Amino acid sequence: MMKTRTYHIIRKVHLYASLPIVALLLMYIVSSYFMIHYDLFNTYEREEMITRVELASDMNSEAQWDQFLAENGVSGKLTDETALPDGVLLRKYERAGKSFEVRLYAGEKTAEIKKNNGNLPAVLVGFHRIRGFEGPWPYLIYAVLLDIVGISLILFAITGAILWLKLLKNSLTAWIIFLAGFIYVAAIITYLSVV
């Protein structure tokens, strides 16, 4: 028999665990809609702008890179760094709704910056696809928030199961619905693992 105080604590944990889940779920629902109907919202269309800038240094250190990026409005996570056969150093940076390509030409004191801007649907789709703990501090914060949502999902499921079983006790209907949920999730996981 569960004590009344324990029951109320479980209810509060269940309620508070649902709040971050709802916020993130809404973002994923809206961004998924923009991904599915990309042609209607021009989700993947980008406004491209290319600029050439003079380099004040040889860009040999990360401190020089950081200063260069800050001065030229390049931000986001470094996703690729490639030395091309013609001696060009190419660095790509990504953030929600924007991407940057920085090209340093060998033997020249200039760099080319290609900036691609997306619309609001592109920004939301960008948030949908962010993952990992790499990158500047906003990416770390976002990754921690996603982990908090993951923990909230676990707490929400466990406390929900406890409340469900407590509320309906030995009802056959409650057990059928409860087990049907497990069977449904297991079937989806199995299907996605096989296909």
Side-chain angles (χ1 to χ4, degrees):
M1 186 74 173
M2 188 184 298
K3 293 181 181 175
T4 306
R5 187 171 188 279
T6 306
Y7 177 75
H8 287 297
I9 290 171
I10 290 172
R11 279 185 57 187
K12 283 187 178 181
V13 170
H14 187 71
L15 172 67
Y16 294 136
S18 70
L19 298 178
I21 295 168
V22 169
L24 196 73
L25 187 63
L26 283 173
M27 186 274 292
Y28 276 117
I29 289 170
V30 172
S31 60
S32 295
Y33 190 78
F34 289 142
M35 291 166 82
I36 293 166
H37 300 286
Y38 62 90
D39 51 344
L40 181 65
F41 296 101
N42 301 321
T43 303
Y44 299 112
E45 289 184 15
R46 299 282 192 266
E47 179 187 325
E48 187 177 287
M49 187 174 72
I50 299 174
T51 55
R52 282 185 87 88
V53 296
E54 295 292 323
L55 296 176
S57 64
D58 292 333
M59 308 296 286
N60 293 328
S61 70
E62 280 303 314
Q64 291 170 325
W65 268 103
D66 291 342
Q67 182 180 352
F68 170 78
L69 297 176
E71 288 172 356
N72 293 287
V74 177
S75 59
K77 186 192 301 191
L78 176 65
T79 57
D80 187 29
E81 183 174 12
T82 307
L84 301 176
D86 57 359
V88 173
L89 177 64
L90 174 65
R91 277 189 168 195
K92 294 181 181 180
Y93 295 85
E94 298 276 341
R95 60 180 286 184
K98 289 185 183 179
S99 66
F100 302 88
E101 279 187 15
V102 179
R103 291 175 183 264
L104 295 183
Y105 294 95
E108 296 183 29
K109 282 285 193 178
T110 60
E112 182 182 277
I113 302 171
K114 184 193 293 184
K115 179 180 179 181
N116 293 304
N117 276 334
N119 54 15
L120 178 63
V123 171
L124 288 174
V125 168
F127 278 116
H128 187 113
R129 292 182 168 164
I130 290 176
R131 64 190 183 283
F133 283 89
E134 312 88 26
W137 64 268
Y139 290 86
L140 299 176
I141 291 172
Y142 190 74
V144 169
L145 289 175
L146 289 179
D147 285 349
I148 289 170
V149 171
I151 292 167
S152 297
L153 281 166
I154 293 167
L155 289 174
F156 184 76
I158 292 170
T159 55
I162 292 169
L163 293 173
W164 179 259
L165 294 174
K166 169 72 175 151
L167 186 64
L168 298 174
K169 296 192 175 137
N170 294 324
S171 168
L172 179 62
T173 307
W175 277 105
I176 291 171
I177 294 171
F178 188 71
L179 292 173
F182 277 106
I183 292 168
Y184 173 74
V185 171
I188 294 294
I189 292 172
T190 304
Y191 175 77
L192 292 175
S193 298
V194 172
V195 174

